[in-house]
Amino acid sequence: MPEPVTPRSGGGSSREHASRIDRTYFQRPSRFQRVRRGLLLAAVVAGAAWGAWAAFDGPRQIATGPVAAVHAKWESDCSACHVPFAPIKDNTWFSTAATRQVMDAKCEACHRGEAHHPLQVAAAAGSCASCHADHRGRDADLSRVADRTCTACHGDIAAHRLADAPAGVTPSTVVAPITRFDDDHHPPFAALSADPGRLKFSHGRHMRAGLSFAGAPDDAPATATGAAAAWTYARLAPADRGRYLPAGGHDHDPIQLSCASCHEFGGAAAAGRTMPAELAGAAPGAYALPVDFGRHCAACHALPFEATAGSAPTGPAADGADAAITLLPPANADEEAAAATGAAATNNAATAAAGRVVPHGLDALALARFLETTFLEDALRSDPRLLDVGRARRPLPTSAAAPAIEASLRTLLEERFDHAIAFTRGTCEKCHEVESVSLPPGVLAAEPPRRAALGIGVGPARVPVKWFTKAFFNHQPHRGFDCRECHAAAYPDAAAGPPAASPIDSGIVMIAGRESCTTCHAPAGHDPFTGKPVGGVRFDCVECHQYHGLGAHPAITAVLPAGTLPAAPASSPAAPPTSIAR
Amino acid sequence: MIIGGTTWPKDRPWIAGIALATVLASACYAVEWSADGRLPGGSSRTGFGAGVVAGAIIVFELLLWPRKRVRSWRLGSAQSWLRAHVWLGLLAVPLVLLHSRLLFVGGLLNLALLALFFAVIASGVWGLVLQQYLPRAILEQVPAETIYDQIEHVSRQQCRETAKLVDAVCEAEPMRGHGDAADDHARDRADDHADGRGDAADHDHDADRDRHHDDVDDDEHAVVTGFRSMTGIQGRVVETLAVYTAIPGTLPLRRRFFADVRPYLLAGKASGSPLAGAAASAEFFAGLRASSPAAAADLIGRLEQSCDQRRQLDLQVRMHEWLHGWLLVHVPLSVALGVLLAIHVPVALWYW
């Protein structure tokens, strides 16, 4: 190591040491700080820019999702449904009755939201949006609400209905909790508990070949009559024969009816019929049109009002065999053609009178007038001198012969009328419940008052047009099923012989209950015993039930011509709202 | 903020409080979910409450910045603020989840808010994790730590002093005169200006130049930084060394210094020099010792020490960037989150 040079001074000044550190460095932003400031500025600008974008493209920025297709027109107009600072749902801190009213008014501008039930607690109803949530995409079905919206009340209905029922409203006795559609959480269908109908009918007989319990025509003796007589198509009028005879069939084949022979589906207009009020709004084919005597019964069932050979309309026999049903012979040869063409199968009073049958559906007074008119015509034909009744031969009005003719005519009419009423009563009692009805005085013109209690009245059949009063059913989606799967009781046991008891089975409800539905309308799975797949079809509440009422919205009817839309069925406390077709 | 150790008694109540608040909020949410049969949204009772609390927390989080800038605001210590910032920020996560219906939200604004929120949370958590390990690592691995913003300045200063030492101890280049020295000073001045010292650098360089001119062969001292270790305490010291006369046979050493060592001392790892690696540096200096006179061993030791210090400063730079780089994400995103939150609140209440 070389010799060190003697240093001139001692190791540098303190200034030199201190100058090693730049004491002003913190006053200048470092690169890191400069970058951070730039990023901050960019963040503020970007945030503000996004806010400006949101101001111009609010729906896409703010809405939680696209609205349903039915509301797509108002996708960009939030004010069409929303009110500023008013919660659209009622599960918020700031939901009040006032906000609910304001929001529901927005919906009711286009939708009708009738009260669900007169016993419903208003506070438990909820706002429209509480059940019908939008912004779930274009394909969302707003009417298909979740079961919880229903089970919130029906899970404990006793606690969610008014304790004091309004006048005319009877609370349902079914208070079991309904939380799901299965055998454990849904009660049996109350509408199917009993048959309210008052019609005497035998599905068992009508579904048999030949409409007889005697078996095939080949098994019956050729001279068999009454219950043992099997009907063939040849016994039908030609017009009816064409309707009932299947393709490839023959006139001598025994008549084989099917469900469709009497229960028509399809549009009423297509069938040339008027849609009953109960089915207003239902989709074509959802429900069977009511059975009509003229279309479905008259081909076989004439309604004679006078006894002839072979006819004994005295009502169903005690052993179950009903009386022979025959077409009455026409009163004269001119009417044979009318009978041959099936004129007796119509409800036209004039035509029916020509065929000596009474039209179906007449009330007591109309029936009495029909009979008396018919008998008067008969009397005039038989004794034209009756036309002279009342014509004075002398200036003085009295005539010794006239009272005799009038008295005999009156007697004749009374006798025939009484006989016809009794005979007709028997005819009607075959299928209906008949009661005696007092006729008003002076039924016959210019005649003294008739005796009372000469008329007959037929009680309403009361066969439900639509059985489910609180649910709806559509046969069309179920058209792939055999009718037997749900209406097995309507089919007779082919192996059984003539029943020992009355074949009248109209008191039996021939609609399968809940258990037939839960086979398919259940969660998808497999039967644990058979391994077959079960369920998989929707079983939510709205599949069969509806909350709101029917009919056109008042705002719509106000701008449409009268009669354009069917009138809404009256919604009274005693009649729960009917449901629309699906 | 270090979590654990001596700070555990201060953090434990926060953790317990957050856990309790999360459980309570979740329980309320579950009750409302059960009652409604569907996930409560942001407008529901529980969701709205969670949203309000989460929004208030976000506002509080943003106030940390002004609190740290305005030191005269004695509203609790900065450490307390930071602790609250961390724990309340974590509490905001479950609240935001409940407010956003467990992330089933729609609308671009809402999605942007959620994305920003979770990016802020993630960057904050990342920074918190880094703060648990990097400061200690810097303390242990970078004993030559200096002020981050001054690393380049200190490096240049160290390079200048080291060059002065080499210039004094090693043989001069043939035909080296005042011009060469003036070139050296011009180079040094340019380096100092790059540091941003400006006029102060000019004054120092003028003084150096004058001193060099007056005593070009009489540079008596070199101020170098050394590395001292005593009883386990490591640190950097500034030493003033007496300058020796030139050592014969050290011209190659001089040339190697200006060719290999000086660029590395100036630019560090960015120079691409093999001296950035400890093993390569040891090999380099071993070779240098072998090819230099024994009398130059001390100088070579000093050079090696300077390179080691430069490596430490390089490490400090990397660690510092890791330790603070997350703020470049966290802070701007937080501000953006605040801006969008200010838009979200009135908009959500307008149509809800």
Side-chain angles (χ1 to χ4, degrees):
Chain A
M1 179 72 72
E3 291 289 332
V5 173
T6 302
R8 177 183 298 177
S9 60
S13 65
S14 59
R15 181 185 179 84
E16 290 175 354
H17 284 237
S19 65
R20 296 180 62 82
I21 302 299
D22 179 10
R23 294 183 295 276
T24 62
Y25 78 94
F26 61 93
Q27 296 176 350
R28 299 183 300 273
S30 64
R31 182 174 62 91
F32 181 86
Q33 290 172 323
R34 290 196 300 272
V35 171
R36 190 172 68 178
R37 288 181 185 178
L39 290 175
L40 279 173
L41 182 61
V44 173
V45 171
W50 196 299
W53 181 20
F56 287 100
D57 192 12
R60 192 158 63 141
Q61 292 285 334
I62 301 167
T64 56
V67 296
V70 292
H71 290 157
K73 180 185 182 301
W74 301 280
E75 177 86 62
S76 302
D77 184 10
C78 304
S79 61
C81 300
H82 290 272
V83 175
F85 302 112
I88 198 169
K89 298 180 183 177
D90 56 4
N91 63 339
T92 73
W93 291 105
F94 304 101
S95 296
T96 62
T99 61
R100 191 178 308 158
Q101 187 177 14
V102 167
M103 293 310 307
D104 288 354
K106 286 280 187 177
C107 303
E108 290 171 356
C110 299
H111 301 276
R112 66 182 291 149
E114 291 180 342
H116 173 53
H117 196 276
L119 295 182
Q120 183 181 28
V121 177
S127 64
C128 301
S130 295
C131 297
H132 303 280
D134 208 332
H135 291 285
R136 292 183 292 128
R138 285 283 190 266
D139 297 331
D141 185 352
L142 299 183
S143 61
R144 197 153 207 112
V145 297
D147 283 358
R148 55 168 176 77
T149 61
C150 308
T151 59
C153 292
H154 286 275
D156 184 10
I157 192 62
H160 290 86
R161 65 184 182 186
L162 296 176
D164 298 325
V169 178
T170 304
S172 170
T173 57
V174 178
V175 294
I178 303 174
T179 56
R180 185 183 171 93
F181 184 66
D182 57 30
D183 295 337
D184 298 325
H185 301 96
H186 190 286
F189 299 156
L192 306 181
S193 60
D195 187 349
R198 294 294 177 264
L199 202 64
K200 304 170 187 175
F201 187 79
S202 172
H203 277 89
R205 180 187 179 92
H206 285 79
M207 297 301 290
R208 280 179 170 270
L211 309 181
S212 168
F213 285 104
D218 294 340
D219 299 334
T223 57
T225 59
W231 275 62
T232 64
Y233 293 101
R235 297 183 67 172
L236 298 178
D240 298 322
R241 196 181 309 159
R243 187 153 59 92
Y244 289 102
L245 185 66
H250 305 282
D251 290 350
H252 61 270
D253 291 339
I255 294 176
Q256 177 62 67
L257 296 179
S258 64
C259 302
S261 300
C262 303
H263 298 287
E264 291 181 287
F265 291 85
R273 302 177 60 181
T274 303
M275 179 69 79
E278 293 90 340
L279 303 183
Y287 299 95
L289 297 175
V291 176
D292 179 75
F293 178 86
R295 290 177 63 85
H296 306 122
C297 311
C300 301
H301 294 272
L303 301 178
F305 56 87
E306 286 182 315
T308 59
S311 67
T314 57
D319 60 354
D322 56 349
I325 305 170
T326 58
L327 285 176
L328 295 176
N332 53 51
D334 293 335
E335 295 164 345
E336 288 182 0
T341 57
T346 68
N347 284 334
N348 185 289
T351 309
R356 313 302 290 184
V357 296
V358 65
H360 183 264
L362 298 180
D363 60 15
L365 182 59
L367 175 63
R369 292 204 178 277
F370 171 78
L371 294 174
E372 289 169 339
T373 301
T374 303
F375 297 145
L376 273 176
E377 290 175 353
D378 289 348
L380 288 175
R381 288 194 211 98
S382 63
D383 188 359
R385 292 182 302 160
L386 293 174
L387 294 174
D388 297 331
V389 171
R391 183 187 304 171
R393 295 178 183 273
R394 298 174 183 176
L396 293 177
T398 57
S399 168
I405 297 175
E406 291 175 0
S408 66
L409 175 61
R410 182 166 59 248
T411 302
L412 174 64
L413 289 178
E414 288 179 358
E415 290 177 356
R416 294 196 69 184
F417 183 87
D418 291 343
H419 179 74
I421 283 293
F423 192 91
T424 305
R425 187 187 186 104
T427 302
C428 299
E429 282 183 338
K430 194 175 306 181
C431 300
H432 294 281
E433 295 175 352
V434 181
E435 57 187 4
S436 298
V437 176
S438 298
L439 296 174
V443 173
L444 284 182
E447 287 292 329
R450 302 272 308 167
R451 291 166 291 166
L454 287 181
I456 57 174
V458 176
R462 297 179 186 172
V463 177
V465 175
K466 188 164 65 171
W467 284 79
F468 291 133
T469 58
K470 297 182 179 180
F472 48 81
F473 182 84
N474 190 342
H475 279 88
Q476 286 302 309
H478 299 86
R479 60 187 180 275
F481 288 82
D482 189 281
C483 302
R484 296 168 191 262
E485 297 195 42
C486 297
H487 303 284
Y491 290 78
D493 185 356
S502 168
I504 301 299
D505 54 15
S506 52
I508 302 173
V509 177
M510 297 181 178
I511 303 174
R514 179 194 62 205
E515 63 281 357
S516 72
C517 306
T518 54
T519 303
C520 297
H521 290 270
H526 291 81
D527 189 283
F529 300 104
T530 63
K532 292 183 179 179
V534 295
V537 183
R538 284 174 166 169
F539 58 99
D540 46 340
C541 302
V542 296
E543 183 68 16
C544 301
H545 299 283
Q546 195 169 20
Y547 183 88
H548 297 291
L550 290 181
H553 195 279
I556 297 176
T557 56
V559 297
L560 291 178
T564 302
L565 296 172
S571 177
S572 64
T578 54
S579 45
I580 62 174
R582 281 298 177 87
Chain B
M1 186 183 84
I2 305 298
I3 299 176
T6 57
T7 64
W8 188 241
K10 295 182 181 179
D11 295 321
R12 201 161 35 204
W14 283 102
I15 297 174
I18 288 172
L20 181 63
T22 301
V23 169
L24 284 176
S26 301
C28 294
Y29 192 84
V31 168
E32 189 168 359
W33 183 2
S34 175
D36 285 350
R38 58 183 174 183
L39 280 176
S43 62
S44 65
R45 294 183 179 85
T46 309
F48 185 78
V52 169
V53 175
I57 289 176
I58 292 174
V59 171
F60 172 78
E61 303 285 275
L62 290 171
L63 290 177
L64 179 65
W65 186 19
R67 170 63 184 85
K68 293 177 72 175
R69 287 187 68 85
V70 183
R71 301 177 186 278
S72 58
W73 285 359
R74 300 306 301 171
L75 304 174
S77 65
Q79 194 181 59
S80 300
W81 272 73
L82 182 60
R83 182 167 283 108
H85 179 91
V86 170
W87 295 117
L88 288 179
L90 292 177
L91 174 61
V93 174
L95 295 179
V96 167
L97 286 175
L98 298 181
H99 178 65
S100 65
R101 204 195 301 171
L102 303 184
L103 303 183
F104 285 99
V105 294
L108 292 178
L109 182 62
N110 296 332
L111 290 175
L113 263 173
L114 271 180
L116 279 175
F117 175 78
F118 284 106
V120 168
I121 293 294
S123 58
V125 170
W126 174 241
L128 186 64
V129 169
L130 289 176
Q131 288 175 21
Q132 309 306 307
Y133 301 103
L134 283 183
R136 180 170 295 277
I138 292 176
L139 182 66
E140 293 174 351
Q141 299 178 27
V142 189
E145 180 184 6
T146 186
I147 301 168
Y148 172 79
D149 293 333
Q150 292 295 291
I151 286 178
E152 295 304 318
H153 171 75
V154 169
S155 297
R156 289 192 176 89
Q157 214 167 42
Q158 178 68 14
C159 179
R160 185 168 56 249
E161 295 293 338
T162 309
K164 190 187 297 184
L165 184 63
V166 170
D167 198 36
V169 174
C170 296
E171 286 180 331
E173 287 286 349
M175 304 305 290
R176 184 172 192 277
H178 288 287
D180 295 334
D183 290 340
D184 291 341
H185 280 292
R187 184 178 54 241
D188 291 340
R189 175 175 297 184
D191 293 338
D192 272 341
H193 273 278
D195 279 346
R197 294 187 60 224
D199 294 340
D202 288 341
H203 173 77
D204 289 344
H205 281 293
D206 289 340
D208 287 345
R209 182 188 59 191
D210 293 340
R211 189 163 61 249
H212 190 83
H213 273 287
D214 294 338
D215 304 306
V216 64
D217 292 328
D218 293 336
D219 274 41
E220 300 156 348
H221 307 97
V223 180
V224 297
T225 56
F227 177 76
R228 179 173 295 171
S229 176
M230 183 172 64
T231 63
I233 299 175
Q234 302 177 10
R236 187 169 62 89
V237 296
V238 173
E239 298 178 4
T240 303
L241 297 179
V243 176
Y244 296 94
T245 55
I247 301 172
T250 55
L251 182 58
L253 174 60
R254 180 194 189 88
R255 289 171 176 167
R256 294 295 297 277
F257 169 79
F258 281 100
D260 299 320
V261 179
R262 188 175 182 278
Y264 176 69
L265 292 179
L266 279 176
K269 192 175 181 181
S271 66
S273 169
L275 295 176
S281 175
E283 187 178 344
F284 173 85
F285 284 102
L288 205 60
R289 285 191 184 90
S291 62
S292 299
D298 189 48
L299 173 63
I300 294 173
R302 295 288 177 183
L303 293 180
E304 189 173 12
Q305 206 173 61
S306 296
C307 288
D308 180 64
Q309 178 183 324
R310 187 56 175 137
R311 280 194 297 276
Q312 290 187 26
L313 294 180
D314 285 342
L315 180 62
Q316 181 187 348
V317 168
R318 285 201 306 275
M319 286 186 167
H320 183 91
E321 290 174 346
W322 274 99
L323 190 58
H324 296 89
W326 63 278
L327 286 170
L328 295 179
V329 175
H330 186 75
V331 175
L333 291 184
S334 300
V335 172
L337 176 65
V339 173
L340 288 189
L341 181 64
I343 297 172
H344 168 73
V345 170
V347 166
L349 292 177
W350 184 261
Y351 287 138
W352 67 320

